[in-house]
Amino acid sequence: QVQLVESGGGLVQAGGSLRLSCAASGSIFSLMGWYRQAPGKQRELVAIIGSVGSTNYADSVKGRFTVSRDNAKNTVYLQMNGLKPEDTAVYYCNARGILSTHWGQGTQVTVSS
């Protein structure tokens, strides 16, 4: 079985930083990344990273967030700097291989003004 466990969420003031981690059990995945979902809104892509380090970001977080991965630990990270209230959401880790897609349970990020 595959499990993805997120950690690092919390409550921060606007302009602050958080670092999210997602530890995966099982396979090394081709793509790993982060999605988020605010109350009443649809889930959206935040950032993804390939197995050799290529990355893509949503325009709304570009220049503020950095996604990285440690394949030896099978862990993906999201460093979030310059947080804004509109970043408030539940952040979900995602991992995709050739034959499967997996989701974590989510970690809450709340940014106050």
Side-chain angles (χ1 to χ4, degrees):
Q1 64 178 19
V2 174
Q3 296 184 54
L4 305 179
V5 181
E6 304 100 332
S7 62
L11 173 64
V12 298
Q13 188 176 357
S17 298
L18 286 173
R19 183 181 186 240
L20 306 184
S21 299
C22 173
S25 63
S27 303
I28 300 297
F29 297 97
S30 299
L31 294 174
M32 299 187 73
W34 297 89
Y35 291 71
R36 67 186 182 188
Q37 187 167 23
K41 296 185 177 181
Q42 296 189 165
R43 189 173 299 185
E44 64 176 351
L45 175 69
V46 177
I48 56 173
I49 184 166
S51 61
V52 295
S54 59
T55 59
N56 282 288
Y57 297 91
D59 288 342
S60 60
V61 307
K62 196 172 298 181
R64 299 187 296 121
F65 292 9
T66 302
V67 64
S68 60
R69 66 190 291 173
D70 183 339
N71 288 334
K73 298 179 179 179
N74 212 13
T75 299
V76 63
Y77 305 93
L78 185 67
Q79 179 67 46
M80 304 185 293
N81 299 325
L83 284 162
K84 304 174 180 180
E86 51 263 43
D87 295 318
T88 295
V90 177
Y91 284 69
Y92 296 91
C93 182
N94 174 262
R96 299 187 180 190
I98 299 299
L99 300 176
S100 61
T101 300
H102 305 277
W103 293 93
Q105 292 299 306
T107 185
Q108 177 71 47
V109 172
T110 302
V111 185
S112 62
S113 300

